[in-house]
């Protein structure tokens, strides 16, 4: 039986997709502005989506058979296309208003602590507010805070940044043996936590860091060590008996600062070339293998063009010409003194990527 | 005096117990249905009766039943929604406390029509003493052969279980209820799929309100056509109203939906007028989620016609000048009540009860509550009123479940009809903490332009 194809028109662009495709996925095939932002849906996770409401679109024609428009905006990530469906994303003022509303809602209680957040530079909420948000705020109240919960040696939780997308909950359910954390309480005080302080240490639990769209769950072994845009992502692999072993290393020079799974342009973990399944990686690969020699490097990882992480890392770029020699009448700049030849004060032997936790004064005192 | 179909026997001594209930004619509908009707015929009677869901949305019950998917070899379930947590609504409690066998009788009929062999009553956690009443009634019914295997020798089998909630309003939303019944966190599900296709344990399920199910008993006893003769238009049969607020006789009343709102509030048969000789200022006619109306729009529609206690008339004029019958929680406010404070109280309730799944409801309800608190305590600004309007409009229609809408509507209606009172709070920041705005012009006759 040949697969049934449905025609769907999104913002006046028509594509053909297999039956069962969601509006969001059809829009992603088209790409560009037409694609609604999606903060909670995550293709590899069953049951995800529908919660954040950033992906709302207007269905102006239900299908060829039943052309009635849908009365309410629908979550494109959880609505499947019908043959002849017509959808409006950026061409609908209703959608733009609703989207602006959702962005505002997501930000009113967000701490806006990007300057000290490890996710900055690869945060979907940053991108979302940059693309769809406003400069000011109409919120005049104290932002929400939570009692701190410790999730153990690998994962740092900042509940104030969480948008309750439930991705980490689905991940723990579907990828690890046993879920030890979840959403407690309800409403605006719902929080991600373990009921009794528990160490999240299951073999695959590190993947919650990769699926978290914001800086609510970050890698403790990378905490405060570097900004992601100063590191260089390279694809690498190793033989691992637990997972596919296909990762992205985030390096500076020869130092491996961080290991993550490989993600596609939507920030979703890619299918592994080896296993043909979602390329979740194990905690060993993620947290323990922090030497370049642990890995076979394949080459630079592709980075979306709009991302700051791509800054200055790619060949074939036009560089601005050097001006120093010109203003010095052709003389070369001279190194007056290399501090390391006369002083050990900066401890050049310390590899920042290998110390436990963030670098503090204590690291350099000794 | 109006006919009573549900509460007729409520005051018979001992009606809570099987012997009395049976002596008064209880369970004869089950004999009639199981022995003389096919399941589809029962559904057909309910369709003919025009019975609409009594839980709030007013969806025709017979139609809902006919949507139930019936794949071979997959069990189907009936779940009775007894979560009743909507502020102002307490009619199901009355039914279950006084007439538990009526609910069970209705459940046998409905389960038979739907082909369900296991049915559940999901009851609000705070009704801590009612599960005992229900379970005793279930035991009595089983003992007398109305439940269990091979009921009345027809081969039909039915068990009824009572499950207590843990005290969350959101678990009254039918899909959150099903999650909770399955032992999970009570988050509403994303629809589709609808419960009629994938409900409890992923099996086809019908969720109905307690009163809806109880009303099936008189429908089968008297026939759907007879039932449909009571009431008007698409508001057939009788409706339980739980009346509360500043009235002389708060309580649960069974009405036949042909009486006017004025009669309901002021006649001695029902609410008995406003307490302490005060004047009527406003009313929330169908439970906290429905729009509040000022006295003038409550008693007369915008066209100047009398407003009646039924689905159509209460919603006449849409949200601009009308409201809804909702779940029948009739809350009356007299001239001493402050609309801003009332709106704040409702906003606080919805903030507290949001499940927190979707961003507009999780964040927007809390924001509205904070602004309303400022307005109520004399710290508000004029721009806050427009801001509130904007926030509620960004919540409404954009959420997973109708709790978002239910949180938005009361705020929208309060601003729509009582904007002067909000502005007065801003302009008189001291005075508003000492006294209330009063009746103002809210009961004045509405100008109705003459039509050619
Ligand atoms: C937030 C929320 C709370 C609700 N609470 C109740 C309730 O307590 N009791 C009830 O019968 N229906 C409640 N409903 C309506 C149910 O979702 C559902 O429509 C109803 O049980 C269907 O029964 P009916 O058709 O017999 O009215 C609630 C809906 C929402 C959105
Ligand atoms: S911690 Fe991250 S992944 Fe988990 S719910 Fe919050 S935002 Fe989503
Ligand atoms: S509207 Fe509110 S209660 Fe309903 S699912 Fe969304 S957050 Fe939960
Ligand atoms: S991505 Fe669709 S609702 Fe969050």
């Amino acid at each position: 039986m040949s697969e049934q194809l449905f025609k769907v028109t999104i913002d006046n662009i028509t594509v053909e997709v297999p039956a069962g495709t969601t509006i969001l996925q059809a829009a992603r095939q088209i790409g560009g502005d037409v694609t609604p932002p999606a903060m909670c849906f995550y293709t590899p996770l069953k049951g995800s989506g529908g919660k954040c409401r950033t992906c709302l679109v207007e269905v102006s024609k239900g299908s060829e058979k039943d052309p009635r428009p849908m009365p309410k905006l629908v979550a494109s990530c959880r609505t499947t296309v019908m043959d002849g469906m017509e959808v409006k994303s950026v061409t609908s003022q209703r959608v733009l208003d609703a989207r602006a509303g959702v962005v505002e809602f997501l930000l009113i209680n967000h701490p806006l602590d990007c300057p000290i957040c490890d996710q900055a530079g690869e945060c979907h909420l940053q991108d979302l507010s940059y693309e769809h948000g406003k400069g000011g705020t109409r919120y005049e109240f104290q932002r929400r805070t939570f009692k701190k919960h410790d999730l153990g040696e690998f994962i740092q939780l900042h509940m104030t940044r969480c948008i309750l997308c439930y991705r980490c909950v689905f991940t723990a359910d579907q990828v690890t043996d046993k879920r030890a954390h979840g959403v407690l309480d309800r409403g605006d005080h719902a929080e991600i936590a373990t009921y009794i302080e528990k160490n999240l240490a299951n073999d695959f639990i590190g993947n919650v860091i990769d699926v978290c769209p914001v800086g609510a769950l970050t890698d403790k072994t990378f905490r405060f060590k570097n900004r992601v845009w100063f590191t260089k992502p390279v694809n690498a692999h190793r033989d691992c008996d637990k997972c596919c072993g296909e990762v992205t290393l985030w390096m500076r020079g020869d130092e491996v600062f961080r290991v993550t799974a490989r993600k596609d342009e939507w920030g979703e973990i890619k299918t592994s070339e080896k296993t043909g399944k979602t390329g979740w990686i194990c905690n060993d690969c993620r947290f323990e293998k922090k030497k370049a020699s642990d890995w076979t490097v394949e080459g630079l990882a592709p980075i979306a063009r709009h991302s700051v992480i791509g800054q200055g890392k790619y060949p074939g770029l036009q560089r601005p010409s050097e001006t120093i020699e010109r203003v010095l009448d052709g003389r070369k700049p001279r190194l007056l003194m290399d501090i390391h030849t006369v002083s050990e004060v900066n401890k050049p032997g310390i590899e920042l990527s290998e110390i436990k936790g963030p670098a503090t004064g204590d690291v350099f005192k000794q | 005096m109006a006919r009573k179909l549900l509460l007729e026997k409520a005051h018979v001594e001992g009606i809570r117990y099987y012997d009395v209930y049976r002596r008064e004619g209880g369970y004869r509908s089950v004999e009639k249905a199981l022995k003389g009707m096919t399941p589809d015929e029962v559904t057909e009677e309910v369709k003919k009766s025009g019975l609409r869901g009594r839980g709030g949305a007013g969806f025709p019950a017979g139609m809902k039943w006919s949507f139930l998917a019936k794949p071979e070899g997959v069990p189907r379930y009936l779940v009775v929604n007894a979560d009743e947590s909507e502020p102002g609504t307490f009619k199901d409690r009355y039914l279950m406390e006084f007439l538990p066998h009526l609910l069970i009788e209705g459940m046998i009929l409905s389960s038979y029509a739907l082909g369900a062999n296991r049915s559940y009553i999901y009851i609000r956690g705070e009704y801590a003493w009612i599960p005992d009443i229900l379970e005793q009634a279930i035991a009595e019914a089983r003992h007398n052969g109305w439940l269990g295997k091979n009921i009345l020798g027809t081969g039909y089998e039915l068990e009824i279980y009572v499950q207590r909630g843990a005290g969350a309003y959101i678990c009254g939303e039918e899909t959150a209820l099903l999650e909770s019944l399955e032992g999970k966190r009570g988050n509403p599900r994303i629809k589709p799929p609808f419960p009629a296709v994938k409900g409890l344990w992923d099996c086809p399920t019908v969720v109905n309100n307690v009163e809806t199910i109880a009303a099936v008993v008189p429908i089968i006893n008297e026939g759907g056509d007879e039932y449909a003769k009571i009431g008007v238009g698409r508001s057939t049969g009788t409706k339980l109203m739980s009346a509360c607020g500043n009235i002389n006789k708060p309580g649960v009343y069974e009405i036949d939906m042909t009486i006017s709102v004025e009669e309901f509030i002021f006649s001695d048969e029902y609410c008995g007028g406003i307490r302490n000789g005060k004047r009527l200022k406003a009313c929330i006619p169908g439970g906290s989620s429905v729009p509040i109306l000022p006295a003038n729009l409550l008693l007369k529609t915008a066209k100047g016609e009398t407003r009646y206690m039924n689905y159509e008339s209460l919603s006449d004029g849409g949200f601009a000048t009308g409201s809804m019958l909702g779940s029948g929680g009739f809350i009356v406010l007299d001239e001493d009540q402050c609309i801003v404070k009332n709106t704040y109280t409702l906003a606080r309730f919805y903030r507290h009860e949001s499940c927190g799944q979707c961003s507009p409801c999780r964040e927007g309800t809390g924001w509205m509550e904070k602004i309303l608190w400022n307005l109520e305590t004399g710290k508000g600004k004029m721009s806050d009123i427009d801001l509130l309007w904007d926030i509620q409009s960004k919540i409404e229609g954009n959420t997973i479940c109708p709790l978002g809408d239910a949180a938005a509507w009361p705020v929208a209606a309060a601003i729509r009809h009582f904007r002067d009172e909000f502005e007065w709070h801003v302009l008189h920041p001291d005075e508003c903490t000492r006294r209330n705005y009063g009746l103002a012009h809210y009961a004045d006759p509405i100008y109705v332009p003459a039509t050619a």
Side-chain angles (χ1 to χ4, degrees), chain B residues 198-349:
Chain B
K198 262 187 169 193
L200 188 62
W201 315 115
D202 277 352
C203 298
T205 303
V206 163
V207 182
N208 269 134
N209 176 254
V210 171
E211 187 191 342
T212 316
I213 294 297
V216 176
V217 176
I219 290 174
I220 295 304
N221 276 335
E222 316 215 343
D225 289 328
E226 282 304 307
Y227 186 88
K229 282 184 195 151
I230 306 168
V232 285
R234 293 182 56 232
S235 302
T236 57
T238 61
K239 172 88 189 83
L240 297 185
M241 300 297 296
S242 55
C244 63
N246 310 111
I247 47 176
N248 280 317
K249 287 169 58 193
V252 177
Y253 297 101
E254 182 166 3
I255 60 165
D256 74 359
M257 299 201 262
T258 56
I259 60 170
S260 68
V261 178
E262 187 162 2
E263 184 186 347
F264 185 69
I265 297 180
F266 293 101
S267 83
D268 280 335
E269 192 185 339
Y270 301 107
C271 304
I274 309 296
R275 200 178 287 182
N276 302 329
K278 299 274 180 186
R279 290 168 299 174
L280 171 70
K281 177 174 181 181
C283 173
I284 305 172
S288 64
S289 308
V290 310
I292 186 170
L293 286 177
N296 47 15
L297 278 175
L298 175 74
L299 303 179
K300 293 233 184 310
T301 68
K303 290 175 245 156
E305 293 158 1
T306 306
R307 211 186 271 284
Y308 291 94
M309 297 287 290
N310 60 47
Y311 290 95
E312 289 92 344
S313 183
L314 277 172
S315 58
D316 184 281
F319 277 7
T321 58
S323 184
M324 282 160 78
L325 181 60
S327 59
F330 196 84
I331 310 170
V332 180
L333 284 71
D334 72 15
E335 58 187 309
D336 289 343
Q337 307 308 314
C338 172
I339 300 298
V340 179
K341 181 162 187 199
N342 173 69
T343 314
Y344 160 74
T345 309
L346 293 180
R348 190 183 58 170
F349 172 77

Side-chain angles (χ1 to χ4, degrees), chain A residues 49-53 56 72-73 78 97-98 101-102 104-106 108-109 138-142 144 163-164 166 183-188 190, chain B residues 167-168 185 187 190 351-360 362-364 366-367 370-371 374 381 387 390-391 394-395 397-400 405:
Chain A
K51 303 198 195 290
C52 70
R53 316 306 282 178
L56 292 175
K72 285 189 193 178
L73 303 181
R78 292 288 297 249
D97 287 348
V102 173
E104 182 171 31
F105 286 136
L106 286 176
I108 55 173
N109 276 303
R138 301 187 288 175
Y139 191 69
E140 298 176 333
F141 303 93
Q142 284 274 323
R144 176 168 65 217
I163 60 160
L164 282 173
Y166 281 69
V183 179
L184 301 188
D185 220 320
R186 68 175 177 228
D188 61 354
Chain B
R185 182 186 162 83
N187 278 0
I190 292 148
R351 198 270 295 148
H352 186 254
E353 297 298 335
S354 161
C355 82
Q357 258 190 118
C358 48
S359 342
R362 177 182 66 238
E363 306 293 345
W367 193 2
K370 293 191 179 82
I371 296 173
N374 275 358
K381 302 191 290 286
L387 181 57
D390 191 53
I391 298 172
K394 296 233 158 87
I395 300 174
N398 292 338
T399 55
I400 295 176
D405 302 337

Side-chain angles (χ1 to χ4, degrees), chain A residues 60-78:
Chain A
S60 49
K61 178 180 167 192
S63 70
E64 210 52 71
K65 277 203 209 104
D66 181 2
R68 285 175 304 170
M70 295 190 184
K72 285 189 193 178
L73 303 181
V74 299
S76 60
C77 65
R78 292 288 297 249

